[in-house]
């Protein structure tokens, strides 16, 4: 692949490449965005797949699959899965689908769950609606942030030590 864009939009950053090439163990990424979607979400879905393929070109330790989290056999299983995802911080988005003269609503989960051993990190792949931004602009922003969000989650899941933040008191600052 050759990126001919002036700003190298389709090239991974050197930091991401360094992090991916330094991986020593498998990471599994479950993308909860499978099924039939309108064109905008189909574009997001394709962008996620392309980004994960770019990651996989840098390291053999990336494994991924797209799944529909609500594709289950019974209502009880569906409710259990919704409850489990809510406990993990995975919140649904209500998607309005216009099909000919009909409008329907569908609940989707635009998340990826990065898994390593017993650790999981959910990654919200869809930016929140920002005032003044159209749905198309929100999708474009979401696509532009995919590399950062996925690389950040992979980096965090391998981090053995959590960073420590220290707050001091007694130097004239206001009380919390």
């Amino acid at each position: 692949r050759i990126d001919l864009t002036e700003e190298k939009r389709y090239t991974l950053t050197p930091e991401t490449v360094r992090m991916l090439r330094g991986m020593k163990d498998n990471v599994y990424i479950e993308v909860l965005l499978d099924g039939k979607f309108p064109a905008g979400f189909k574009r997001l879905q394709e962008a996620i797949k392309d980004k994960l393929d770019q990651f996989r070109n840098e390291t053999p330790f990336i494994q991924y699959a797209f799944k529909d989290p609500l594709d289950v056999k019974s209502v009880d299983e569906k409710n259990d899965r919704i409850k489990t995802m809510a406990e993990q911080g995975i919140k649904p988005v209500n998607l309005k689908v216009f099909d000919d003269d009909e409008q329907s609503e569908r609940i989707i989960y635009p998340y990826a769950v990065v898994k390593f051993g017993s650790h999981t990190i959910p990654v919200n792949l869809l930016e929140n609606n920002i005032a003044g931004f159209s749905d198309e602009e929100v999708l474009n922003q979401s696509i532009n942030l995919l590399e950062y969000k996925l690389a950040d989650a992979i980096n965090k899941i391998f981090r053995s030590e959590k960073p420590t933040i220290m707050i001091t008191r007694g130097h004239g600052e206001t009380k919390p």
Side-chain angles (χ1 to χ4, degrees), residues 3-13 43 51 54 140 143-145 147:
D3 185 356
L4 299 176
T5 59
E6 191 173 308
E7 66 275 359
K8 299 296 181 198
R9 186 181 326 164
Y10 303 105
T11 302
L12 296 176
T13 62
R43 196 165 56 91
K51 194 58 67 180
Q54 281 182 309
N140 287 338
I143 290 169
N144 290 338
L145 290 173
E147 177 184 346

Side-chain angles (χ1 to χ4, degrees), residues 5-155:
T5 59
E6 191 173 308
E7 66 275 359
K8 299 296 181 198
R9 186 181 326 164
Y10 303 105
T11 302
L12 296 176
T13 62
E15 293 80 15
T16 300
V17 170
R18 196 173 315 120
M19 187 247 339
L20 290 170
R21 289 183 179 169
M23 289 175 62
K24 304 276 189 253
D25 214 339
N26 288 327
V27 169
Y28 179 71
I29 302 171
E30 187 176 277
V31 182
L32 306 178
L33 202 59
D34 194 25
K36 290 180 68 178
F37 298 109
F41 275 91
K42 198 67 170 167
R43 196 165 56 91
L44 177 62
Q45 191 179 36
E46 287 298 318
I48 295 165
K49 184 183 181 316
D50 288 345
K51 194 58 67 180
L52 290 172
D53 284 342
Q54 281 182 309
F55 280 20
R56 195 184 294 176
N57 286 339
E58 297 298 331
T59 182
F61 296 114
I62 298 288
Q63 300 173 6
Y64 70 89
F66 283 78
K67 295 185 179 178
D68 182 351
L70 301 180
D71 186 22
V72 292
K73 297 176 182 169
S74 72
V75 175
D76 289 338
E77 277 183 275
K78 185 176 181 179
N79 290 337
D80 287 344
R81 185 155 303 161
I82 289 171
K83 182 181 176 190
T84 302
M85 287 188 294
E87 289 169 354
Q88 293 175 341
I90 300 174
K91 298 176 181 99
V93 171
N94 208 2
L95 177 66
K96 292 180 182 171
V97 180
F98 298 97
D99 197 15
D100 294 327
D101 293 337
E102 298 177 10
Q103 176 184 341
S104 61
E105 291 189 8
R106 182 174 172 197
I107 293 176
I108 62 166
Y109 291 87
Y111 280 81
V113 180
V114 179
K115 299 178 180 183
F116 174 69
S118 63
H119 302 292
T120 62
I121 296 177
V123 179
N124 185 358
L125 301 172
L126 183 65
E127 285 299 295
N128 296 330
N129 267 341
I130 304 166
F133 280 71
S134 69
D135 291 342
E136 189 70 23
E137 290 171 320
V138 170
L139 276 172
N140 287 338
Q141 187 66 12
S142 299
I143 290 169
N144 290 338
L145 290 173
L146 284 176
E147 177 184 346
Y148 169 74
K149 287 183 172 189
L150 292 169
D152 183 51
I154 293 169
N155 191 30

